[in-house]
Amino acid sequence: MILGIVSESFSFTIPVANVRTSVSFVPIIASVALFKHPWPMLIGGVTAFVADKFVRDKPLVRVWFNTAQFMLASGLGALVYSTLGGSVSLETFDFGLIPFICLVLVYFLANHGSVALAVSLSTGVSVREAWDRIGKDALATDLVSSTLAVLLVFLYVKLQLLGLAILVFPLFLVRQLYQMNLQMQEELEEKLELMVKAMEARDPYTSGHSLRVSEYALAIARELKLSANEVDAVKRAALLHDVGKIYEEFAPLLRKEGKLTAEERMTMRTHVIRSAELVHTAARLRGSVQAMIRHHHENFDGSGYPDGLAAEDIPIGARIIMIADTIDAMTTDRPYRRAMNLAVAIEELQRHAGRQFDPDLVQLVTNSRAIRRLVSGEAAEDGGHAPLRVAKRGWMQTVAR
């Protein structure tokens, strides 16, 4: 119980609804093989209660929820373990592989599943995405780390409290491994935003454009209930969709007031290829992210560029970014025209649905409260999103830029 409380006290936050994670599952799972019911549930419940109430001073509702889900996970795991013939003893070490594996699987299914459901209900993201962010990517690491529970049982049977002390250092190393993985992901996101800001610094008229497009694309991807990995890929691709414009040949075209010439439009079209080539230099962005960036100007009827893809051949992320990009282009002031309001922008999307845009995505955006809140929020804070009605013309060139 003490080892569990200490482990839980040194938890860290993962970027989803202020959820925290720790290695306290190791002593809790070990307790199932050492103590008979109801001790594992008591150890799990007290671990969560003490850490949340007295160490982190969490709101009472979170304290009781975490206490309950720790008890549920350890209780269900213990039930499965004993049903399958797992040994429970303080005197002898008798390891059964199948009971232990089932114990671990049930524990994490109950633990991660209950938290994912709570996150979904409190934030509005799908249960699928919440599960992916909380448990899916870390599940393999969790299963491997759970083998420390077997070692803990062995050391406790043989050495009692000295065995617990021996395991403190390996537990600390596992915790650091989890935190380093999280920090690597955060550093990647920071570098991506830095790259985009460097590009947009050259064009004051589109400052913040890529960040807004990524937020719109994120909202659309979530309403489609894509997996967490797909959602993250769409967001990253949307953030970097115009990164190729950092090359010098695009600078005068971005600053030009008025329409582009035919030759200038052809040059501007190459930005999708340059963007995809630039992204290819980062190993973690190759594949789906690179494809979304390359194809975000493909029209649904096959008349787009650079490869003339049509309908389902266009990656879903690219179709999402096309619409998100268009919404921001139409609802933002540009050198050659004032911004439209969202209602007019949606009318334009509907007008070109099936030709330029995926009609199903247009319908989704039309009914999306999330998109309306995002655009309205930007309008309230950013003069570039002034809700002005303008003539329905000239927006196609806006998107081409």
Side-chain angles (χ1 to χ4, degrees):
M1 190 179 293
I2 292 172
L3 190 58
I5 292 170
V6 171
S7 299
E8 186 66 18
S9 299
F10 285 93
S11 62
F12 53 91
T13 304
I14 60 177
V16 50
N18 200 29
V19 171
R20 301 186 70 85
T21 186
S22 75
V23 293
S24 62
F25 61 85
V26 172
I28 293 175
I29 289 175
S31 72
V32 172
L34 291 169
F35 308 105
K36 294 185 181 296
H37 177 78
W39 287 106
M41 292 183 65
L42 182 62
I43 290 172
V46 171
T47 293
F49 182 83
V50 172
D52 280 350
K53 179 63 179 175
F54 299 106
V55 178
R56 293 195 288 265
D57 193 26
K58 291 290 186 181
L60 192 59
V61 64
R62 279 183 174 258
V63 173
W64 287 118
F65 172 79
N66 285 331
T67 300
Q69 62 99 350
F70 269 49
M71 294 181 71
L72 174 67
S74 56
L76 288 176
L79 177 62
V80 170
Y81 181 77
S82 59
T83 301
L84 294 176
S87 173
V88 180
S89 174
L90 282 167
E91 307 297 332
T92 60
F93 176 74
D94 183 12
F95 176 69
L97 180 61
I98 299 302
F100 176 78
I101 291 176
C102 292
L103 158 62
V104 172
L105 289 174
V106 169
Y107 180 88
F108 284 118
L109 285 173
N111 176 257
H112 292 169
S114 58
V115 175
L117 180 60
V119 168
S120 177
L121 293 174
S122 62
T123 64
V125 303
S126 67
V127 175
R128 179 188 182 186
E129 182 183 347
W131 164 262
D132 286 351
R133 297 197 182 283
I134 293 166
K136 182 181 177 182
D137 290 340
L139 190 57
T141 307
D142 289 342
L143 294 177
V144 173
S145 301
S146 296
T147 58
L148 285 177
V150 179
L151 179 60
L152 177 55
V153 173
F154 175 79
L155 291 173
Y156 192 76
V157 168
K158 300 298 182 181
L159 303 174
Q160 299 298 304
L161 293 179
L162 178 60
L164 297 185
I166 293 174
L167 202 69
V168 169
F169 184 65
L171 276 178
F172 174 77
L173 291 181
V174 171
R175 179 201 178 275
Q176 291 303 104
L177 176 64
Y178 278 86
Q179 191 164 24
M180 287 175 59
N181 183 53
L182 179 61
Q183 288 174 343
M184 288 176 61
Q185 296 180 35
E186 292 174 345
E187 288 173 2
L188 173 62
E189 300 300 330
E190 291 173 356
K191 289 176 181 177
L192 296 182
E193 291 192 15
L194 182 62
M195 186 186 301
V196 170
K197 287 178 181 178
M199 183 269 294
E200 292 189 338
R202 303 183 60 174
D203 180 19
Y205 292 108
T206 61
S207 179
H209 166 71
S210 295
L211 289 172
R212 290 192 299 270
V213 171
S214 71
E215 289 300 317
Y216 300 159
L218 174 64
I220 297 171
R222 280 183 166 160
E223 294 206 19
L224 283 174
K225 301 190 184 305
L226 300 180
S227 69
N229 288 340
E230 291 171 321
V231 168
D232 288 343
V234 169
K235 182 179 179 180
R236 288 170 182 167
L239 188 64
L240 298 172
H241 72 285
D242 280 343
V243 72
K245 291 179 181 177
I246 198 171
Y247 290 109
E248 186 61 35
E249 66 259 32
F250 300 112
L253 306 183
L254 292 170
R255 292 190 175 92
K256 181 177 179 179
E257 297 187 10
K259 293 184 178 181
L260 301 179
T261 66
E263 182 179 354
E264 289 171 335
R265 284 198 298 273
M266 291 302 296
T267 300
M268 183 57 71
R269 285 188 172 193
T270 64
H271 83 274
V272 295
I273 298 174
R274 301 300 297 275
S275 296
E277 290 173 347
L278 189 57
V279 164
H280 182 76
T281 61
R284 294 187 65 178
L285 299 177
R286 294 171 189 164
S288 63
V289 172
Q290 183 183 359
M292 293 177 203
I293 292 172
R294 179 181 177 89
H295 298 298
H296 77 272
H297 276 296
E298 303 282 7
N299 292 337
F300 196 75
D301 65 359
S303 62
Y305 61 89
D307 300 317
L309 302 184
E312 301 298 323
D313 289 336
I314 307 171
I316 182 63
R319 284 176 270 155
I320 290 172
I321 295 169
M322 161 75 87
I323 290 181
D325 190 20
T326 302
I327 290 173
D328 188 68
M330 290 192 291
T331 59
T332 306
D333 284 339
R334 292 298 174 92
Y336 40 86
R337 60 115 182 96
R338 298 298 302 278
M340 299 179 182
N341 67 14
L342 182 60
V344 176
I346 288 177
E347 288 176 9
E348 290 291 346
L349 292 178
Q350 293 171 335
R351 184 189 303 274
H352 295 274
R355 295 194 296 274
Q356 185 166 0
F357 309 111
D358 182 332
D360 293 334
L361 292 182
V362 170
Q363 186 61 42
L364 182 146
V365 169
T366 300
N367 299 325
S368 173
R369 293 182 179 180
I371 291 294
R372 293 181 185 278
R373 283 196 301 268
L374 282 172
V375 176
S376 298
E378 296 285 355
E381 299 173 5
D382 187 342
H385 278 67
L388 302 175
R389 269 193 187 272
V390 297
K392 299 176 185 176
R393 58 182 174 80
W395 68 274
M396 292 284 272
Q397 187 182 0
T398 300
V399 179
R401 293 197 184 188

